[in-house]
Amino acid sequence: MAIVIPTLMSCSKDEDSQEGYTVDFSIEVDSENPNNIILTNLSSGDYLYVEWDYGNGQSTGKSINKEQEQTVYYPLKGNYEITLTIWGPLNSIADTKTMTKTVTIDADDPDYTAPGGLIWSDEFNSSSVNKSNWTFEIGTGDWGWGNDELQYYTDGDNVEITDGKLVITARKENDNKERGSYTSTRMVTMNKQEFTYGRIEIRAKLPSGTGVWPAIWMLGSNLGQVGWPACGEIDIMEYVGYQPDIVHSTVHTTAGSGGNGSGGSISLPTAEEAFHIYGVLWTEESLTFYVDSPDNIVHVYAPASKNDTNWPFNKPHFFILNLAVGGTWGGAQGIDNSIFPQSMEVDYVRVYELN
C-alpha cells in the first residue's frame, strides 16, 4: 500500500494579495490497485488556475481545469513528491500558494510493462555518480572553457546525489571575481554513453541569481577530430541568472555558431522553483526543442538543404551537465557574490527511440 506523508506547505511573497483563497488536496490509495493514487483538489476561495506536478516527471502545466478528483498511475515503487500550485487573482508567481505531499509506493505493479523504446537512462538512484556513465572534467579550461567563465570544475567535490536527484553546486571560494574564485561541476558521457537520434528528456530544477549559467547540452563525439563547432552542439537547455524564468535552446554548427547560432527562448515562470522536463526530438530531418511536453515547442532547427556545415547531427553526440559562473553570457551583467551557493538539480536523463 502507499504511505502518504505531508511534507511542505508554502505561500508566496505577497501575502496581502492572497487573502480569500487556500490551497489543499488529499491523497487516497485506490482500493483495487495500490499503484493508482486518487488526488482530490480541496482548495477553496478566489483563485484562477491550478498546476499539478505529480513527482514522476509529469505535470499539467497551468490550467483552468479545477477538477476536484483525478487518478494518477505510479507503476514503480518509490517516493513521489506531489505538488499542487494555485494561482490567485493577480495571476502572477507572487500570487500563488503551493502544497507538497509525498506518497510512497511500496511495490512495483506486477502487470506493468515499461514503455517501449527507452534506450538508456540515469535515474540517479545510487549513492554516488555512476562512473560508467559520467566523467568529471576538471580545471578552468582554455579561456574559461571557451567562454571566459570563472569557475574551477572539481573532481566530484561539487556534486552529490540526494533523494534520487543529482545536485551540482556552484560555490564561492573568494570575493575576487576572477578565474578560480568559484568551484562547480562539469560532467560528460563522452566515450561512455553516446547517441544519434531519439527523444531525449532531462528533468531538472535551475539555480537563481546574477552570474550563474547552468546548461544541459550535447557535443559531437568527433570533437577531438574536427573541433568545435564542426562537431555540432545541441543546447537542450541554457539559463542565465540575470534573465530569470527564460530558458533557451540553441544549435551551433559551422554554418552558425556563438551569437549566430540557431535558437529560441520561452518563458518558464517556475524554472527556479520547480522541476521541468527539457527535451529534444532528434530525427534525421530536424531538432525540435520543448519544455515539459513536445507540444510546448521552444525551437525547431531543420535546414532544408543539409550538408556538413549545417547538419553535423547525423553522428553520435554525448551529454554534458554543468553549472558555470560568469562568462561571456552568464556574466554579461556581472556576478552577485551574495547568492552562493547555488545548485542545479537533475532528476533524470533519458533517451528513447523515436516512434
Side-chain angles (χ1 to χ4, degrees), residues 89 319 340 348:
F319 285 105
F340 296 97
Y348 56 72

Side-chain angles (χ1 to χ4, degrees), residues 34-332:
N35 294 89
N36 283 336
I37 300 299
I38 301 169
L39 304 176
T40 303
N41 178 14
L42 303 177
S43 304
S44 62
D46 184 17
Y47 65 97
L48 300 176
Y49 306 102
V50 300
E51 182 173 3
W52 289 94
D53 184 331
Y54 301 126
N56 60 355
Q58 300 178 4
S59 59
T60 63
K62 190 174 171 183
S63 172
I64 61 173
N65 184 1
K66 303 177 185 179
E67 183 180 352
Q68 293 295 301
E69 184 176 289
Q70 55 188 303
T71 300
V72 183
Y73 178 51
Y74 296 88
L76 302 179
K77 66 180 179 180
N79 296 322
Y80 301 91
E81 291 188 350
I82 302 170
T83 300
L84 173 62
T85 301
I86 62 174
W87 302 66
L90 298 183
N91 191 21
S92 68
I93 288 295
D95 190 26
T96 61
K97 290 184 179 179
T98 299
M99 174 171 282
T100 298
K101 298 181 180 181
T102 299
V103 62
T104 298
I105 304 298
D106 288 337
D108 295 347
D109 184 347
D111 297 323
Y112 173 69
T113 301
L118 182 64
I119 299 171
W120 172 81
S121 74
D122 196 328
E123 305 292 326
F124 303 112
N125 288 327
S126 58
S127 59
S128 60
V129 173
N130 187 342
K131 295 295 184 67
S132 66
N133 291 335
W134 303 95
T135 299
F136 295 120
E137 293 195 313
I138 304 168
T140 57
D142 182 22
W143 194 59
W145 298 97
N147 298 296
D148 201 21
E149 300 160 23
L150 301 185
Q151 76 287 333
Y152 178 96
Y153 286 130
T154 64
D155 188 14
D157 294 339
N158 291 67
V159 66
E160 62 181 345
I161 293 180
T162 304
D163 297 328
K165 297 177 178 63
L166 177 82
V167 182
I168 295 175
T169 301
R171 299 189 180 95
K172 183 188 70 170
E173 303 299 325
N174 59 58
D175 290 315
N176 298 335
K177 296 186 179 180
E178 60 187 16
R179 201 153 297 150
S181 292
Y182 313 89
T183 57
S184 188
T185 290
R186 173 178 167 126
M187 45 197 289
V188 304
T189 65
M190 189 176 188
N191 299 321
K192 295 182 176 180
Q193 302 291 346
E194 300 175 346
F195 306 94
T196 309
Y197 310 132
R199 175 167 62 90
I200 295 166
E201 294 190 337
I202 300 92
R203 186 170 185 261
K205 183 167 68 173
L206 306 182
S208 64
T210 300
V212 296
W213 184 2
I216 298 167
W217 51 305
M218 304 181 80
L219 282 176
S221 301
N222 60 351
L223 172 65
Q225 290 74 49
V226 303
W228 181 91
C231 67
E233 177 176 328
I234 304 171
D235 294 331
I236 301 170
M237 188 290 306
E238 283 188 283
Y239 189 74
V240 288
Y242 66 82
Q243 292 180 329
D245 301 327
I246 303 292
V247 295
H248 310 269
S249 299
T250 312
V251 167
H252 298 276
T253 65
T254 303
S257 61
N260 295 318
S262 176
S265 306
I266 194 171
S267 175
L268 189 61
T270 57
E272 298 173 1
E273 294 82 14
F275 283 89
H276 290 276
I277 294 172
Y278 301 98
V280 59
L281 295 174
W282 178 10
T283 74
E284 295 181 0
E285 300 299 325
S286 63
L287 288 157
T288 302
F289 300 89
Y290 60 90
V291 172
D292 289 330
S293 164
D295 296 328
N296 191 26
I297 295 174
V298 181
H299 180 60
V300 177
Y301 179 72
S305 178
K306 294 178 172 58
N307 53 57
D308 288 342
T309 66
N310 67 13
W311 191 255
F313 305 114
N314 55 356
K315 301 177 180 66
H317 281 55
F318 61 89
F319 285 105
I320 306 174
L321 304 176
N322 72 284
L323 173 49
V325 179
T328 51
W329 191 14

Side-chain angles (χ1 to χ4, degrees), residues 6-22:
T7 58
L8 174 66
M9 182 173 181
S10 63
C11 298
S12 62
K13 299 174 183 177
D14 188 352
E15 297 292 342
D16 292 338
S17 68
Q18 297 185 349
E19 297 296 332
Y21 72 96
T22 60

